[in-house]
Amino acid sequence: MTEVTEARLNERLKRLRDHLERENPVLAETVDSFRLLDGVARRLGLLEEGDSFTSRVSWWPVIAILGTFSAGKSTFINSFVGQRIQTTGNQAVDDKFTVLCFGPHPEPRVLPGLALDSDPRFPFYRISREIETVASGEGRRLDSYLQLKTCNSDRLKGRILLDSPGFDADAQRTSTLLVTSHIIDLADLVLVFFDARHPEPGAMKDTLEHLVGETIKRPDANKFLYILNQIDLAARDDNPEEIVSAWQRALAQKGLTAGRFYRIYDRDAAVLQGDEEVRRRFQAKRDADMAEILRRIEEVEVERAYRIIGVLEKSVKRVRDDLLPRVAAARDRWRQRVLWGDGVAAVLLFLFPLLWSVSGGLWGEGALLGSLLGSPPGVLLVLIGLAGLGYGAHLGVRRLMAGSVVLGLRRLPAGEEREWLLRAFAMNSGPRKSVFPKTPVGWNRRAQRELEQVLADADTMVQRLNDRFTNPSGEEQSLAEQVVGVTAGQAKGEGGAAA
């Protein structure tokens, strides 16, 4: 790593650590663990210079809002932040992914996708590179996919909302699906909106496949909340249970039998009809479900802390248990092919002079080789020539066999993982790398110890978080809370003394 690149990375990680030290000291320690993981991954060839696993983590709590067209996502966001920041309508009114965060200015401001792609604090850092790998040329059109909006709302302080364009699976491009998957992976809470006015979920097979079908195998499936919006329009027939049952059957067909639906509507735009009893029943259900949704949103700070540590553990296991074996397998294929190729080349180099000598080309009267072998300097010259031919043939075989392995790796699905494997294999098959070691370059006892240390540190951080957020003994204040309180009091006293 060049000094300039290393200095930039160190400065970025220092700013991140300083910010977390003030906000949550436990998370500040994860930065050091990520740095240790980065070093191992860089020596393995997985990460390029200046890259870091910290860039693949959203360090702020993230609430993602997905859903179909006209499902009321924008209306919900406007109600939540207390401002009309998103355009509403029955048709598609915005075709971009929008990151909403707090801003000090009274009026909302719209910033281009570059603001997200170039800032590691936001969840779309370097997303243009991933888009480019699956859709050539689209990475340069980042502003067609992303925008950043600021809003002076207390409800956005310390958290980020991610609003997706109305989801129409049949019309989605590969790059848009990649961004959607990226959002789902990094979010602490995912609100999936459906339009209660269209209770025929069977006609939305592709949409359900992308928004629901892929979540059932996830270990964090409990972060998905399925919301039937505009349920007030069902009051005229008094059949909300039938609508919910229809959606539950549709999800069950996708294999999702857990979870629940929340039934809400915008009270300011409600179209409740029927007698007073029906209106009270709908409103009571709406208020209870909305309170539950808001409670889950308020809890994302706690979930964010566990998520980041979970990402750290997952990244270590991904390197150790997935990427490393695949790099080793690729290197082993190359190694075996090179040894076979060298054997074939050696046989050909032996047969050629043998056949030539049989024909008299080497030993006949006046033949060059015969005259050279008649003196010691000539013999040395012949040996040097043969060694040069052998080494040249070996280099050619290495390049040829490396190309065959790279061809196989390029058949993998486009994305970051494929680029990691290609970069690591290139490091293992370079001209200065021996074919005889069976382990990948950079993998040794030191790397094993460092990864084990990161996992052990992650377990310790989880225990410390548990101490902060739980109190099994039932005492009035846990020891961890006392320590945090003392530390905060000391800091306040020191600040007052300094002032």
Side-chain angles (χ1 to χ4, degrees):
M1 184 185 302
T2 63
E3 293 184 3
V4 174
T5 303
E6 184 176 8
R8 289 176 178 173
L9 177 60
N10 288 336
E11 177 61 26
R12 176 158 60 86
L13 295 181
K14 181 180 181 301
R15 289 199 303 268
L16 175 61
R17 199 186 195 291
D18 290 344
H19 168 76
L20 293 173
E21 190 70 47
R22 295 188 298 270
E23 178 189 338
N24 189 330
V26 175
L27 288 183
E29 296 177 13
T30 64
V31 177
D32 298 329
S33 296
F34 271 112
R35 190 192 294 271
L36 197 60
L37 172 60
D38 290 342
V40 175
R42 198 169 292 116
R43 295 196 301 272
L44 290 172
L46 297 171
L47 291 183
E48 62 183 346
E49 292 185 0
D51 199 0
S52 171
F53 278 100
T54 58
S55 303
R56 292 157 178 81
V57 181
S58 176
W59 294 91
W60 281 312
V62 175
I63 301 109
I65 300 177
L66 309 177
T68 57
F69 289 120
S70 72
K73 302 187 307 297
S74 297
T75 301
F76 174 84
I77 291 173
N78 292 341
S79 176
F80 177 75
V81 301
Q83 297 184 31
R84 185 178 172 80
I85 189 171
Q86 294 292 83
T87 306
T88 61
N90 290 329
Q91 303 297 324
V93 293
D94 200 344
D95 59 352
K96 296 180 181 179
F97 293 89
T98 303
V99 174
L100 299 165
C101 72
F102 177 82
H105 303 285
E107 295 297 324
R109 294 192 175 184
V110 180
L111 304 177
L114 178 64
L116 300 168
D117 189 60
S118 302
D119 192 335
R121 297 173 298 175
F122 287 104
F124 289 109
Y125 182 59
R126 291 184 176 178
I127 190 66
S128 60
R129 296 188 181 185
E130 295 189 44
I131 293 176
E132 190 68 25
T133 61
V134 299
S136 179
E138 291 298 300
R140 296 189 295 271
R141 300 179 60 251
L142 191 66
D143 290 345
S144 301
Y145 295 94
L146 299 173
Q147 62 183 358
L148 172 64
K149 284 187 179 181
T150 64
C151 178
N152 193 330
S153 170
D154 288 341
R155 279 189 162 177
L156 288 179
K157 288 183 177 180
R159 62 170 65 101
I160 290 175
L161 291 185
L162 288 178
D163 184 24
S164 70
F167 203 96
D168 183 1
D170 292 333
Q172 293 301 303
R173 291 169 291 184
T174 303
S175 49
T176 303
L177 293 178
L178 183 146
V179 177
T180 303
S181 298
H182 181 80
I183 287 175
I184 291 174
D185 286 338
L186 62 84
D188 299 291
L189 185 67
V190 181
L191 309 183
V192 184
F193 278 73
F194 295 108
D195 188 351
R197 297 172 298 175
H198 303 287
E200 296 86 19
M204 303 175 62
K205 178 180 178 181
D206 292 338
T207 301
L208 289 175
E209 183 68 39
H210 288 292
L211 292 183
V212 177
E214 299 298 324
T215 68
I216 59 177
K217 298 180 181 179
R218 298 178 62 96
D220 56 356
N222 64 331
K223 74 181 183 182
F224 292 83
L225 305 185
Y226 303 103
I227 301 173
L228 283 182
N229 199 12
Q230 302 167 127
I231 195 68
D232 56 303
L233 298 177
R236 64 191 64 180
D237 299 320
D238 194 22
N239 65 344
E241 287 77 14
E242 294 180 11
I243 294 176
V244 173
S245 297
W247 284 102
Q248 287 175 332
R249 288 193 298 271
L251 265 64
Q253 292 175 1
K254 297 299 176 184
L256 185 66
T257 57
R260 55 167 290 194
F261 274 106
Y262 295 83
R263 295 178 287 183
I264 67 171
Y265 58 86
D266 182 17
R267 295 183 63 175
D268 295 334
V271 191
L272 285 170
Q273 299 181 10
D275 58 33
E276 185 65 25
E277 177 61 29
V278 172
R279 285 195 293 271
R280 282 199 301 267
R281 183 159 59 88
F282 268 71
Q283 183 171 324
K285 178 60 179 173
R286 179 264 180 201
D287 291 346
D289 282 3
M290 183 63 77
E292 177 67 15
I293 293 170
L294 295 178
R295 183 187 67 81
R296 289 294 303 273
I297 290 176
E298 291 300 321
E299 290 177 351
V300 296
E301 170 62 30
V302 176
E303 296 175 1
R304 183 274 301 252
Y306 285 98
R307 169 180 58 82
I308 290 176
I309 298 176
V311 170
L312 177 63
E313 288 186 325
K314 182 179 178 181
S315 299
V316 171
K317 294 176 181 178
R318 185 183 185 189
V319 169
R320 185 191 63 186
D321 302 334
D322 180 26
L323 295 173
L324 181 63
R326 294 167 72 180
V327 172
R331 176 184 169 80
D332 190 56
R333 288 195 300 273
W334 171 72
R335 175 177 173 273
Q336 292 182 15
R337 293 176 186 180
V338 169
L339 293 178
W340 276 102
D342 284 347
V344 172
V347 170
L348 292 177
L349 286 175
F350 174 75
L351 288 178
F352 178 72
L354 180 63
L355 293 174
W356 194 4
S357 65
V358 171
S359 65
L362 292 178
W363 305 104
E365 184 177 355
L368 176 62
L369 187 57
S371 60
L372 286 175
L373 292 177
S375 63
V379 172
L380 180 61
L381 186 61
V382 168
L383 293 176
I384 293 175
L386 290 175
L389 287 174
Y391 183 68
H394 171 69
L395 292 180
V397 168
R398 288 170 63 102
R399 287 193 295 268
L400 180 64
M401 299 310 172
S404 68
V405 174
V406 167
L407 189 62
L409 292 176
R410 291 196 178 278
R411 295 194 185 101
L412 296 173
E416 184 178 59
E417 188 171 274
R418 186 180 71 176
E419 298 306 313
W420 284 354
L421 293 174
L422 287 170
R423 189 181 300 114
F425 176 71
M427 176 178 286
N428 278 269
S429 59
R432 297 182 180 180
K433 304 301 180 183
S434 172
V435 300
F436 294 106
K438 295 183 178 181
T439 57
V441 173
W443 184 244
N444 48 37
R445 292 184 178 179
R446 172 191 171 189
Q448 295 180 46
R449 287 195 303 269
E450 290 179 345
L451 292 187
E452 290 172 359
Q453 181 62 50
V454 173
L455 289 176
D457 291 343
D459 289 341
T460 301
M461 293 175 207
V462 169
Q463 294 172 21
R464 293 183 61 189
L465 285 176
N466 289 342
D467 289 339
R468 290 185 61 183
F469 300 124
T470 64
N471 189 5
S473 65
E475 298 175 358
E476 293 184 1
Q477 186 180 35
S478 68
L479 177 61
E481 290 172 330
Q482 295 175 21
V483 172
V484 172
V486 170
T487 303
Q490 291 175 345
K492 183 176 180 180
E494 291 172 0

